[in-house]
Amino acid sequence: MSLAGLDLWLVILAAGLGTFLIRLSFFLLFERVDTVPTRVRWALSFVPPAVLAALVAPDIVALSPESFSPARLLAGLFAVAVAWRTESVLATIVSGLVALVVFQTVL
Amino acid sequence: MTSLARRASFLAGARAVAPIMVGIVPFGLLAGATAVAVGIDPLQAVGMSVFIFAGASQLAAIDLVGGDAPAVVVVATVLIINLRMSMYSASLAPYFDRLRTLARVPLAYLLTDQAYALAVTRFGEEEGPRSRTWYYLGAALPLWVVWQLCTVVGIVAGAAVPESIPIDFAVPLTFLALLVPAIEGRATAAAAAVGGGVAVVGAGLPFNLGLVVGALCGIAGGMVADGVGDE
C-alpha cells in the first residue's frame, strides 16, 4: 500500500469534500438553475452500470495468464447468478466468498 | 409546526428506513473490515466513513488504495461514483427551497441513495415543507449512525477474520450485487458491457487508468445504445 499517513488523509478529505459539494450542489443552485439538464441527467443515468462494471470486471477476469484465476472467475459468475436471482447484497457476498473458498480448494 | 408533529414525521422516516438497514449493516461492516485488511489505518477507515459517507465509493477507494493506485485516481473514482448524487440533489431541492441556506447544509451531508429514494417517494404526496424536512432527517440520520457504528465494528471484527476467508474478494462481490439490479434494459447493459470490457483490456495501464477509461467508455456506450434504440 503506497498511500498512507498524511497523503491518505488528504485523499479522504478531498474525496469527502468533493462528494459533499456534489450533494449540496442543487440544494444551493436551485434558485438559479431549475434542474439538471435532461441530457446531463441522461448521461448520468449510465454512471452506475458503467462504473460498477469497470470496477468489478478486472477483479474477476484477467487477460494476463499470471494474474488469471479460474477460481475467482467461477466464483464471480456464481455470484452474478445469485445477485440476479436474489437482488440481495448480503446473499451475493456470502455465496461468492463461500464459492471462492470452495473453488480454491477444489481447483 | 408543533414539536409533536415534528416527532411524528421524524419517526415515520425512521420507521421507513428500518428495513433498509438490513442491507446497510453488512455493507458497513465490509467498509471497516476490508479497509483494515488492505492495511489502512483504523482511524483513517473511520475517517472515510465520516467524511465520504458513501458506501460504494468508499469500497472502491479501499480497493484502489490496496492496489497502490495514485491519489488522483482514488479521488477521481470516488467523485465519478458519487456524481449520481447531483441528480438526487436536483430532485429534492424544490422540496427544501423554503429552508434557510444553512439548514440545507446538514441535509446535503446526509444525502444517500436510500434517503433519496425514501424521501422522493413520500414527498410526492406530502403536506408541509417542515414535516418533509423531519421525515427526511428521520430516514437519513439513523442511517448515518448505523453506518458509522458498522464501520467501527467491521474494523474491530475484521482483525478477527481468519486468513482462509478471502475478505478482499468481498469488495468486487459487493459491486456485483449493486451492478446486477442497475442493469435494466439494453442501454444499461451496454454501459456495463463496454465499461467492464474496456476496464479488463486496460487493466495493465498505469495509474489505474483502465478504470477511468472503462467507466467513460461505458457511459458513452450506454448513450449510443440508447440513442440507437430511439430511431
Side-chain angles (χ1 to χ4, degrees), chain A residues 2 5 19 23 26-27 42, chain B residues 44 53 68 89 104 111 226:
Chain A
S2 53
T19 299
R23 286 173 161 135
F26 286 90
F27 280 16
W42 177 57
Chain B
Q44 293 183 315
F53 183 48
D68 281 341
S89 184
R104 296 178 210 172
L111 186 56
D226 204 26

Side-chain angles (χ1 to χ4, degrees), chain B residues 11-68:
Chain B
L11 288 176
R15 266 196 302 276
V17 84
I20 293 178
M21 296 298 184
V22 179
I24 301 297
V25 169
F27 213 179
L29 292 174
L30 263 183
T34 52
V36 176
V38 305
I40 292 174
D41 180 76
L43 195 61
Q44 293 183 315
V46 175
M48 283 178 140
S49 279
V50 171
F51 291 112
I52 304 176
F53 183 48
S57 68
Q58 277 178 239
L59 288 185
I62 291 163
D63 204 26
L64 288 170
V65 170
D68 281 341

Side-chain angles (χ1 to χ4, degrees), chain A residues 1-20 22-31 34-36 39-63 71-73 75-77 79-80 83-85 87-90 92-97 100-101 104, chain B residues 26 30 38-40 43-44 47-48 51-54 60 63 65-66 68-71 74-75 78-83 85-87 89-90 92-94 96-97 101 104-105 107-109 111-112 164-166 169-170 172-182 187-188 191-192 195-196 199-201 203 211 214-215 218-219 222-223 226-227:
Chain A
M1 205 181 75
S2 53
L3 267 176
L6 184 61
D7 287 348
L8 185 53
W9 273 120
L10 290 176
V11 164
I12 292 168
L13 291 177
L17 182 66
T19 299
F20 170 68
I22 291 170
R23 286 173 161 135
L24 187 65
S25 57
F26 286 90
F27 280 16
L28 295 188
L29 277 175
F30 184 65
E31 276 100 290
D34 260 2
T35 178
V36 185
R39 287 189 68 84
V40 176
R41 191 174 277 253
W42 177 57
L44 285 175
S45 71
F46 297 113
V47 168
V51 173
L52 290 170
L55 274 167
V56 76
D59 279 335
I60 291 181
V61 189
L63 293 183
R72 285 170 84 95
L73 178 61
L77 292 175
V80 169
W84 188 57
R85 293 286 302 190
E87 298 217 341
S88 155
V89 176
L90 185 59
T92 307
I93 294 170
V94 172
S95 62
L97 283 179
L100 181 60
V101 172
Q104 275 176 342
Chain B
L30 263 183
V38 305
I40 292 174
L43 195 61
Q44 293 183 315
M48 283 178 140
F51 291 112
I52 304 176
F53 183 48
D63 204 26
V65 170
D68 281 341
V74 180
V75 175
V78 169
L79 297 185
I80 290 174
I81 294 174
N82 292 335
L83 261 184
M85 292 183 187
S86 63
M87 290 195 288
S89 184
L92 291 183
F96 295 139
D97 65 349
T101 308
R104 296 178 210 172
V105 169
L107 299 187
Y109 169 68
L111 186 56
T112 54
S164 54
I165 298 176
F169 194 60
L173 289 172
T174 312
F175 294 138
L176 269 183
L178 299 174
L179 170 64
V180 170
T188 46
V200 168
V201 173
L211 170 65
I219 293 165
M223 291 164 81
D226 204 26

